[in-house]
Amino acid sequence: MRPADEMELAEAVRGAAAPFVIRGGGTRGIGRPAPGEVLETGGLSGVELYEPGALTLVARAGTPLAEVQAVLAGERQRLSFEPPDLRGLLGRTGEATLGGVAASNASGPRRVQSGAARDSLIGVRFVDGTGAVVKNGGRVMKNVTGYDLVKLMAGSHGTLGVLTEVAFRVQAIPEAEATLVGEGLGAEAALAALRRALGSPFDVSGAAFAGGRALVRVEGMAGSVAYRAGQLRALLGGWAIAEGAASAALWQAVRDVTALAGRPGALWRLSVVPTEALRVPRALEATGIAHEAAWDWGGGLLWLLVPEGGAEVVRAAVKGIGHATLVRGDLPGVPVFPPEPQEVAALTAGLRAKFDPKALFNRGLMG
Ligand SMILES: Cc1cc2nc3c(=O)[nH]c(=O)nc-3n(C[C@H](O)[C@H](O)[C@@H](O)COP(=O)(O)OP(=O)(O)OC[C@H]3O[C@@H](n4cnc5c(N)ncnc54)[C@H](O)[C@@H]3O)c2cc1C
């Protein structure tokens, strides 16, 4: 099904007895394949409002991300949270949509400076499981007053409703960028250096480590970038400097996790306390399980490629320091999303019952 507008979508949901699988561009939905009819959002497309002066963009949820980026680039603006293109990593084709970005809270390297997608998301409109149109701010559906709907929908993976419209705060593209490149470092030294850079006053907008190369980015006015890059170089110990397009290319690779793309094995995405960034790889090492790792967010985001097994080791080692999501790989019996503690599971179930009482949307996707 491919509704042409919000009204058609709402009617279809109102009359539905069987579940739907919501699809934007299908570029990187994760989770167990849910049962149901595919509900495509591509008909709900188009930028509705763009006010460069107010740094605000409102678009229908099925609008291709590329279209939004082109519109913004025309005014030298962008989405600050740098949504990645994970098609290579996850082996998908298709065109990512803005609704999919919001629904999966897709956030790239600049999260260390500008926050996640949810922090730029300033408004949502969606159809809930009863077929009601719910809007953030203004008129809201009864029984949902008091929830921060924007925060609820960001990262809900289409399990609470079908987004029809999203509003984002955007930012100006800065005049310059530069990246300090530290080569040949071990993980421990590299991650310590990233933390040092992030703890400095030089407003770092990227801090990643993959393939023996540590990267630290600064952006802004040309003079300020040159000054801050110089200061960071002194702090980190004579790292090389990449500027402009060369710097941007390095971050595109970090953003899209190209270091681990096109390779077989289970792929995990871990969100951890940065000071504990080595705990899970060390636990895998200790049990002799082969793996490769790439870090972003100063160690807070860890991508792990594990060719064989290892799920119990990953989940046990991440306990208490973060959570692990299986973004690719079919490991029988291993939940894709991190198992929720009992109290959280009860809250989740309550929200689902309220927003999607007939369990119509992406049923079973998040457990
Ligand atoms: C756990 C996880 C972590 C990720 N981490 C990052 C990250 O760190 N950084 C990053 O930038 N990207 C990340 N992504 C990728 C992100 O999913 C893509 O950036 C986004 O563009 C997908 O767009 P799409 O239209 O192809 O969505 P799809 O692949 O079609 O859908 C993605 C999910 O959103 C739901 N969905 C899609 N459209 C709607 C809608 N209109 N209403 C309700 N639900 C909808 C789908 O059912 C599905 O669950 C991550 C994805 C996942 C699942």
Side-chain angles (χ1 to χ4, degrees), residues 21-31 41 44 61-62 65 81-86 90 92 94-108 111 126 153 156-159 161-164 255 269 297 301 303 325 327 337 362 365:
V21 176
I22 306 165
R23 180 182 298 156
T27 61
R28 44 211 135 174
I30 60 166
T41 65
L44 310 165
L65 176 60
F81 54 89
E82 222 174 350
D85 179 350
L86 297 182
L90 302 183
R92 305 276 164 76
E95 290 293 325
T97 62
L98 200 61
V101 166
S104 52
N105 187 32
S107 318
R111 182 173 190 168
F126 62 94
M153 293 305 282
S156 62
H157 293 272
T159 54
V162 184
L163 289 165
T164 55
R255 188 195 74 180
R269 180 183 184 275
W297 304 347
L301 174 66
W303 293 94
T325 307
V327 297
F337 286 92
N362 286 352
L365 181 80

Side-chain angles (χ1 to χ4, degrees), residues 108-155:
R110 204 173 293 107
R111 182 173 190 168
V112 293
Q113 186 191 53
S114 312
R118 78 160 61 84
D119 300 303
S120 290
L121 186 64
I122 52 177
V124 291
R125 223 180 131 94
F126 62 94
V127 171
D128 79 357
T130 68
V133 175
V134 185
K135 192 174 177 303
N136 190 66
R139 193 170 57 89
V140 293
M141 176 190 137
K142 77 175 166 42
N143 288 337
V144 301
T145 321
Y147 289 117
D148 184 338
L149 299 177
V150 166
K151 299 287 183 278
L152 264 182
M153 293 305 282

Side-chain angles (χ1 to χ4, degrees), residues 10-302:
E11 256 166 45
V13 171
R14 265 196 298 273
F20 296 108
V21 176
I22 306 165
R23 180 182 298 156
T27 61
R28 44 211 135 174
I30 60 166
R32 301 269 173 242
E37 182 186 357
V38 172
L39 192 167
E40 281 186 339
T41 65
L44 310 165
S45 185
V47 173
E48 289 180 71
L49 174 82
Y50 175 35
E51 290 185 315
L55 298 174
T56 307
L57 177 132
V58 183
R60 297 200 183 96
T63 311
L65 176 60
E67 183 181 323
V68 170
Q69 286 169 327
V71 167
L72 292 172
E75 297 288 337
R76 278 198 58 79
Q77 293 188 341
R78 66 185 180 189
L79 294 167
S80 64
F81 54 89
E82 222 174 350
D85 179 350
L86 297 182
R87 284 175 293 189
L89 188 70
L90 302 183
R92 305 276 164 76
T93 54
E95 290 293 325
T97 62
L98 200 61
V101 166
S104 52
N105 187 32
S107 318
R110 204 173 293 107
R111 182 173 190 168
V112 293
Q113 186 191 53
S114 312
R118 78 160 61 84
D119 300 303
S120 290
L121 186 64
I122 52 177
V124 291
R125 223 180 131 94
F126 62 94
V127 171
D128 79 357
T130 68
V133 175
V134 185
K135 192 174 177 303
N136 190 66
R139 193 170 57 89
V140 293
M141 176 190 137
K142 77 175 166 42
N143 288 337
V144 301
T145 321
Y147 289 117
D148 184 338
L149 299 177
V150 166
K151 299 287 183 278
L152 264 182
M153 293 305 282
S156 62
H157 293 272
T159 54
L160 297 176
V162 184
L163 289 165
T164 55
E165 184 185 288
V166 289
F168 278 100
R169 187 178 38 237
V170 301
Q171 73 171 193
I173 295 175
E175 188 176 87
E177 71 169 270
T179 297
L180 288 115
V181 184
E183 299 273 3
L185 295 165
E188 196 156 347
L191 291 164
L194 298 185
R195 283 202 300 277
R196 213 158 48 241
L198 283 169
S200 79
F202 304 119
D203 203 14
V204 165
S205 73
F209 174 60
R213 195 158 64 177
L215 305 172
V216 171
R217 177 176 63 185
V218 281
E219 297 171 280
M221 302 291 281
S224 162
V225 165
Y227 169 74
R228 288 182 285 136
Q231 293 291 312
L232 281 164
R233 192 159 190 264
L235 181 74
L236 298 170
W239 292 14
I241 297 187
E243 292 176 284
S247 165
L250 290 170
W251 288 98
Q252 187 172 327
V254 171
R255 188 195 74 180
D256 301 343
V257 204
T258 53
L260 303 182
R263 314 250 306 276
L267 187 70
W268 292 87
R269 180 183 184 275
L270 279 65
S271 183
V272 296
V273 180
T275 47
E276 299 286 354
L278 285 167
R279 194 196 288 184
V280 179
R282 281 199 181 126
L284 287 168
E285 245 158 59
T287 36
I289 297 171
H291 63 277
E292 265 190 68
W295 288 266
D296 197 357
W297 304 347
L301 174 66
L302 167 59

